[in-house]
Amino acid sequence: MCGIVGAATQRNVVGILLEGLQRLEYRGYDSAGVSVLEPVEHQMVRTRRVGKVAELRSACGESNHSGHIGIAHTRWATHGKPTEGNAHPHVSGETLSVVHNGIIENHEALRETLQTAGYQFVSETDTEVVAHLLQDEIAKAGSFREGVHNGLKQLEGAYAVAIMHRDYPDTLVAARAGSPLVIGLGIGENFIASDPQALRPVTDRFIYLEEGEIAEIT
Ligand code: GLU
């Protein structure tokens, strides 16, 4: 069981995300990663490491990441080896980043369809299918939330996901179907996580997502 943390704030989120991951370490994991949208240009930057969150923390420190919005993940590999290339977040192009907890059972069929449509896969994970599928559906819908809604309807399996998109730089979309996810409410800032424990330093107000619900936080 892995961990998801996300934050949409007016301060730098990197420390909040890394602290959140550290608080989810008890769940077990083999690798960790973080994506943020940099301020101003909203360029998407990502750092991933095999091993401990502490290693990810020092890698983020070296590259001096910052952003007001971001998602982070500790992975427990189910599809593909525990390598940096298979660690989350997974991306589609320069714009979409996703973290995923669980298993996508129909990933092979979806991968084939998306490859035929021109998407290139670079990892061995089931999760990368989610990145390209949602990218495709968001473009078709012209709406972040609606695109995610249309894409998730095509997934079979148990999952929790959190998605960030460069064209919607103030918003995270998250959803659950079989894996837990909680929203943390702050003042002028909001969060998501697999477990409220991850968000204790930043809030004590929580909304537990119900099965099948999609949340948009800004
Ligand atoms: N199935 C995904 C993978 O192997 C997610 C695993 C997890 O829940 O950490 O990358």
Side-chain angles (χ1 to χ4, degrees):
M1 202 169 40
C2 73
I4 287 175
V5 188
T9 77
Q10 292 171 45
R11 50 181 164 152
N12 187 5
V13 292
V14 175
I16 297 168
L17 296 174
L18 292 170
E19 171 70 22
L21 289 187
Q22 216 130 27
R23 289 172 159 264
L24 296 177
E25 282 191 305
Y26 74 91
R27 296 158 74 96
Y29 65 103
D30 51 58
S31 52
V34 58
S35 273
V36 297
L37 292 182
E38 291 200 308
V40 193
E41 302 271 303
H42 301 138
Q43 207 173 337
M44 196 168 70
V45 292
R46 170 175 65 154
T47 301
R48 299 174 293 172
R49 286 291 180 274
V50 174
K52 293 290 162 198
V53 174
E55 285 172 42
L56 179 67
R57 188 185 282 279
S58 55
C60 288
E62 277 159 29
S63 54
N64 208 9
H65 279 356
S66 83
H68 300 307
I69 192 156
I71 52 177
H73 187 262
T74 47
R75 176 178 187 233
W76 187 312
T78 64
H79 292 62
K81 293 176 216 69
T83 60
E84 193 169 306
N86 286 333
H88 303 209
H90 286 282
V91 300
S92 182
E94 305 276 301
T95 51
L96 183 141
S97 190
V98 63
V99 288
H100 160 229
N101 175 3
I103 290 172
I104 307 302
E105 270 151 25
N106 58 338
H107 69 99
E108 276 169 14
L110 289 170
R111 182 184 279 247
E112 252 171 59
T113 311
L114 289 160
Q115 275 171 333
T116 307
Y119 289 97
Q120 286 184 351
F121 285 74
V122 294
S123 82
E124 303 161 333
T125 64
D126 51 341
T127 305
E128 197 179 356
V129 159
V130 182
H132 296 311
L133 175 67
L134 297 185
Q135 177 77 292
D136 205 59
E137 291 293 345
I138 291 164
K140 277 188 204 151
S143 150
F144 192 4
R145 189 176 37 184
E146 203 182 313
V148 172
H149 179 71
N150 295 343
L152 293 183
K153 280 196 292 202
Q154 300 170 50
L155 299 182
E156 288 163 19
Y159 59 82
V161 288
I163 307 112
M164 184 173 76
H165 200 294
R166 190 178 175 182
D167 294 347
Y168 305 88
D170 299 323
T171 307
L172 294 180
V173 175
R176 70 161 284 195
S179 296
L181 211 52
V182 65
I183 296 173
L185 301 171
I187 298 167
E189 55 184 15
N190 292 299
F191 310 92
I192 45 177
S194 308
D195 179 331
Q197 206 46 40
L199 302 176
R200 292 283 177 208
V202 286
T203 187
D204 55 7
R205 293 191 298 149
F206 298 103
I207 298 172
Y208 290 84
L209 276 192
E210 301 286 343
E211 265 307 285
E213 276 188 333
I214 298 182
E216 189 178 64
I217 71 157
T218 59

